[in-house]
Amino acid sequence: MDFGAFAKAWEAAWNSHDLERILAHYSDDVIFRSHKAVQQVGNGELHGKAALRDYWGRALIAQPKLSFVVVDVLHGHGMLVITYRNHRDVLAAETLRFGTDGLVVEASACHRP
C-alpha cells in the first residue's frame, strides 16, 4: 500500500466535504475513537460506517469551513499516522489501521487542546 498516496486521497476527500468519498476509505465494521465525537453524538467510540456517517455528517454541517492540510505521514506495519492541521491551525493526528482489503478497520483521532 502506498501510504503517501492514501494520505493525499484522505486529505482530498475531507476537503471535498463529500461524506461518501470520505467514508470510502473505511470498512463497514470500522471502530473509530475520538473524544470530539462525544460532543456530536454522545459517544467517544463509534462502531461501524453508519455511526461514522452520522457523526461526520453532523460535523461537516457544523463546520462548513473544515479543511485539512497533511503535515506528515508515519508508516507502521499495516497502519499509519497522519498528522495534519485543520482550518483553525490546530495540529491533529489520525492513527489508522488497515485490513487486508486496504480499508481502515480501526481509527483514533487526537488533537492539541
Side-chain angles (χ1 to χ4, degrees):
M1 174 178 223
D2 183 339
F3 289 132
F6 178 90
K8 286 181 184 180
W10 178 91
E11 176 187 67
W14 275 103
N15 291 338
S16 76
H17 287 222
D18 180 338
L19 186 55
E20 294 309 312
R21 186 174 168 189
I22 296 165
L23 289 167
H25 293 110
Y26 298 84
S27 71
D28 288 340
D29 58 349
V30 64
I31 297 171
F32 179 78
R33 293 176 184 91
S34 171
H35 73 275
K36 285 198 162 233
V38 175
Q39 300 164 352
Q40 290 288 328
V41 295
N43 192 350
E45 184 171 296
L46 307 176
H47 293 261
K49 197 182 275 191
L52 279 184
R53 182 177 286 108
D54 179 47
Y55 167 48
W56 287 339
R58 292 180 194 206
L60 288 168
I61 290 168
Q63 298 183 75
K65 294 182 181 185
L66 180 72
S67 65
F68 297 154
V69 175
V70 171
V71 173
D72 204 358
V73 179
L74 309 173
H75 303 237
H77 178 71
M79 63 181 292
L80 68 91
V81 176
I82 300 172
T83 60
Y84 60 95
R85 292 196 176 277
N86 70 14
H87 61 294
R88 295 184 180 127
D89 201 35
V90 173
L91 183 63
E94 298 261 342
T95 300
L96 308 171
R97 191 171 63 79
F98 295 88
T100 56
D101 59 3
L103 295 176
V104 176
V105 296
E106 192 171 342
S108 298
C110 302
H111 68 88
R112 286 198 173 141

